[in-house]
């Protein structure tokens, strides 16, 4: 409760997973804790859409789900959509918005998320057209997804730039819609942050069996646009995308290009307000910024020199902050955030829909399930156990350091993931008499 006896005004900037989860937990914790101070929550969401699960945008692009299906449960309190916070007045504790409104706060929470990284490509920026050339799309928001979905047709030539989690999801979704997809990855293999080489090769084979043409160690140099302005052959026109040019000069004909080159925390508001910013907005174990009345959670927050960029971490941070903000003065409840042990999961559904370039008899019979956690690349002295089933397209691998499970990769068969994840998250010693191969059995070492 504020010093004058009124309810504490908590303002959350950001209507994604972190912001909505925080609003929900604040309401639930206040209800469960009779000693909790009274709070009033206002959530400011820049997007006009109802808050949604960003992880499932690929399913919307594929046509499997409608936008409403991936909506998050409603956030309690006051929710304002389509409102962008433009300035934080720390001295007066006010948030100033682009519509001219001013929102006072006792506690401010920055859940501003991240922006897509736009690579330095020749022809990418078109200031006179208000942004990206026609046919070129980021893939981060619902508006991005809907704009891309409106343009893709069976047979559309599409190039996805970036072979991480987002790029793989986009390529798979476009293939579902019947596009002729090329995936260009600058790195040595797909999903380098989560997978090892063997797992990545299996993922690549699945994508290729779905009709996606995959190029790794492939650097894109620029975009070739229709020459509507500068004369034929120049490639410098201000029209639609015509091709993607690789570093070796080869051109991939393209009607659509998806930029999936990673994300960068949105820190502009915090930086302009004078808060400590590194790669993200720097927070302590109570998720406080350098201003004790301002907190940060989710993709924008940097905790312990680490950025997570995963929904699981955003949820854990929101839960920890909610406990802290609703703890009564005599509760004695510790609400410290010590980090997240992040597990990545992805399901690429069995190819259906259009995809005329892939005969049904040549498609995989089912979805591809993928999970990765911890350190998937062993250090010298680590024990590694792996099983490969080429017939079923399954791969399982765990890395053991001393008596601890430190990481693993599973593709195609996730029957052991629950037990493996629990063993890894608990960070308990493995039973000394248990053969390491048992970690990859259905019991998962439990």
């Amino acid at each position: 409760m504020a010093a004058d006896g009124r309810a504490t005004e908590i303002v959350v900037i950001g209507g994604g997973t972190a912001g909505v989860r925080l609003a929900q937990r604040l309401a639930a914790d206040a209800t469960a804790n009779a000693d909790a101070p009274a709070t009033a929550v206002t959530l400011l969401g820049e997007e006009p859409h109802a808050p949604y699960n960003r992880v499932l945008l690929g399913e919307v692009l594929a046509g499997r789900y409608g936008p409403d299906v991936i909506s998050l449960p409603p956030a309690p309190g006051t929710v304002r959509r389509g409102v962008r916070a433009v300035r934080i007045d720390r001295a007066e504790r006010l948030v100033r918005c682009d519509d001219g409104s001013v929102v006072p706060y006792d506690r401010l929470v920055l859940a501003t998320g991240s922006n897509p990284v736009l690579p330095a490509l020749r022809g990418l920026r078109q200031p006179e057209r208000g942004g990206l050339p026609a046919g070129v799309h980021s893939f981060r928001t619902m508006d991005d997804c809907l704009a891309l979905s409106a343009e893709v047709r069976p047979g559309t030539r599409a190039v996805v730039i970036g072979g991480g989690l987002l790029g793989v999801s986009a390529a798979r979704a476009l293939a579902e819609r019947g596009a002729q997809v090329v995936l260009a990855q600058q790195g040595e293999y797909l999903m380098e942050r989560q997978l090892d080489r063997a797992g990545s090769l299996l993922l690549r084979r699945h994508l290729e069996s779905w009709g996606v043409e995959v190029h790794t160690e492939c650097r894109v140099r620029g975009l070739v646009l229709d020459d509507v302005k500068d004369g034929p052959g120049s490639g410098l026109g201000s029209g639609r995308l015509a091709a993607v040019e690789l570093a070796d000069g080869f051109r991939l004909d393209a009607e659509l290009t998806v930029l999936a080159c990673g994300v960068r925390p949105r820190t502009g508001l915090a930086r302009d307000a004078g808060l400590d910013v590194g790669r993200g907005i720097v927070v302590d174990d109570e998720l406080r910024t350098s201003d004790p009345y301002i907190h940060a959670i989710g993709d924008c927050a940097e905790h312990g020199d680490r950025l997570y960029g995963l929904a699981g971490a955003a949820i854990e941070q929101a839960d920890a902050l909610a406990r802290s903000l609703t703890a009564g003065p005599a509760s004695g409840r510790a609400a410290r955030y010590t980090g997240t042990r992040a597990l990545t999961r992805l399901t690429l559904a069995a190819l259906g829909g259009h995809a005329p370039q892939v005969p049904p008899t040549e498609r995989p019979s089912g979805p591809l399930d993928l999970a990765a956690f911890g350190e998937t690349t062993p250090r010298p002295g680590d024990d590694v156990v792996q099983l490969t089933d080429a017939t079923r397209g399954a791969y399982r691998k765990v890395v053991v350091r001393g008596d601890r499970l430190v990481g693993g990769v599973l593709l195609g068969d996730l029957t052991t993931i629950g037990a493996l994840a629990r063993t890894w998250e608990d960070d308990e010693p493995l039973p000394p008499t248990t053969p390491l191969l048992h970690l990859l059995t259905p019991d998962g070492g439990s």
Side-chain angles (χ1 to χ4, degrees):
M1 185 172 293
D4 58 5
R6 60 181 172 78
T8 300
E9 296 283 351
I10 300 176
V11 175
V12 183
I13 302 178
T17 297
V20 172
R21 176 72 173 201
L22 176 63
Q24 292 167 345
R25 293 310 308 169
L26 285 170
D29 287 0
T31 300
N33 179 13
D35 295 328
T39 59
V41 179
T42 299
L43 189 147
L44 305 176
E46 185 172 332
E47 296 188 52
H49 309 283
Y52 56 88
N53 185 345
R54 201 177 304 277
V55 175
L56 295 175
L57 283 176
E59 299 301 308
V60 176
L61 178 58
R64 292 180 177 273
Y65 297 160
D68 56 318
V69 175
I70 70 169
S71 294
L72 296 172
T78 301
V79 178
R80 296 180 60 192
R81 302 182 195 171
V83 176
R84 183 168 62 90
V86 296
R87 188 162 71 86
I88 300 169
D89 186 335
R90 291 170 55 192
E92 298 294 330
R93 294 191 201 166
L94 300 173
V95 176
R96 301 187 184 277
C97 302
D98 61 349
D99 63 357
S101 62
V102 177
V103 186
Y105 68 87
D106 296 306
R107 296 279 184 157
L108 177 63
V109 181
L110 302 177
T112 51
S114 54
N115 282 328
V117 172
L118 299 182
L121 300 180
R122 178 176 178 265
L124 177 61
R125 298 288 188 172
Q126 293 287 304
E128 69 278 8
R129 294 176 54 87
L132 301 177
V136 180
H137 299 265
S138 297
F139 188 48
R140 181 66 181 163
T141 68
M142 180 63 75
D143 283 342
D144 293 335
C145 180
L146 296 178
L148 184 57
S149 183
E151 292 195 34
V152 67
R153 300 286 187 275
T156 297
R157 296 186 300 275
V159 176
V160 178
I161 302 174
L165 182 63
L166 191 63
V168 168
S169 297
R172 171 63 189 73
L174 290 170
E176 174 79 5
R177 296 287 298 277
Q180 300 175 24
V181 184
V182 175
L183 177 59
Q185 160 71 335
Q186 181 169 325
E188 191 175 352
Y189 50 89
L190 300 175
M191 291 184 62
E192 291 176 307
R193 287 186 58 188
Q194 293 88 12
L195 301 182
D196 62 358
R197 184 186 303 274
S200 176
L201 289 175
L202 180 59
L203 173 60
R204 177 173 182 163
R205 286 200 295 271
H206 273 270
L207 287 173
E208 290 175 339
S209 69
W210 284 325
V212 178
E213 183 180 331
V214 179
H215 297 274
T216 54
E217 299 183 274
C218 174
R219 188 168 67 85
V220 175
R221 181 165 63 188
L223 306 177
V224 180
L225 308 180
D226 286 334
D227 300 327
V228 299
K229 180 178 179 182
D230 296 290
S234 70
L236 298 174
S238 57
R240 262 196 88 85
L241 173 76
V244 172
E245 185 177 22
L246 305 182
D248 60 5
F250 185 79
R251 293 185 175 185
L252 299 169
D253 289 342
E255 299 164 86
L256 292 178
T257 289
V258 178
L259 304 175
C261 304
V263 295
R264 182 177 293 116
R266 296 185 66 179
T267 59
L269 268 178
R271 193 183 303 275
D272 292 344
L275 302 177
D276 288 348
V277 174
R279 292 179 299 153
I281 304 169
V282 178
V283 296
D284 62 14
D285 287 354
E286 293 182 35
L287 298 162
R288 292 177 302 191
T289 68
S290 52
D291 183 325
Y293 297 99
I294 303 179
H295 305 259
I297 56 175
D299 288 7
C300 68
E302 178 182 340
H303 174 266
D305 297 321
R306 183 168 182 185
L307 297 168
Y308 287 96
L310 295 170
I315 290 170
E316 289 189 12
Q317 290 172 2
D319 290 352
L321 181 55
R323 290 194 299 272
S324 177
L325 293 176
T326 58
S331 70
R333 291 192 300 162
R336 303 182 71 83
Y337 174 74
T338 58
T340 295
R341 295 173 72 82
L343 171 72
T344 298
R345 290 192 66 160
L346 175 67
T347 295
L348 301 176
L351 198 67
H354 300 93
Q357 73 274 29
V358 183
T361 56
E362 298 177 14
R363 301 174 190 169
S365 58
L368 173 64
D369 290 313
L370 175 156
F373 59 92
E375 300 178 46
T376 59
T377 301
R379 299 177 186 173
D382 288 350
D383 291 310
V384 179
V385 184
Q386 60 187 53
L387 296 174
T388 303
D389 186 337
T391 302
R392 296 169 57 192
Y395 172 73
R396 286 175 281 173
K397 165 187 167 181
V398 292
V399 179
V400 176
R401 184 170 301 146
D403 61 357
R404 296 297 202 279
L405 176 65
V406 298
V409 179
L410 294 87
L411 280 88
D413 183 356
L414 304 191
T415 54
T416 62
I417 188 58
L420 285 174
R422 287 192 297 273
T423 301
W424 171 65
E425 289 170 352
D426 293 343
D427 196 28
E428 296 290 336
L430 296 171
T433 58
T434 300
L436 293 182
L437 187 62
H438 183 53
L439 291 170
L440 296 181
T441 67
D443 290 336
S446 61

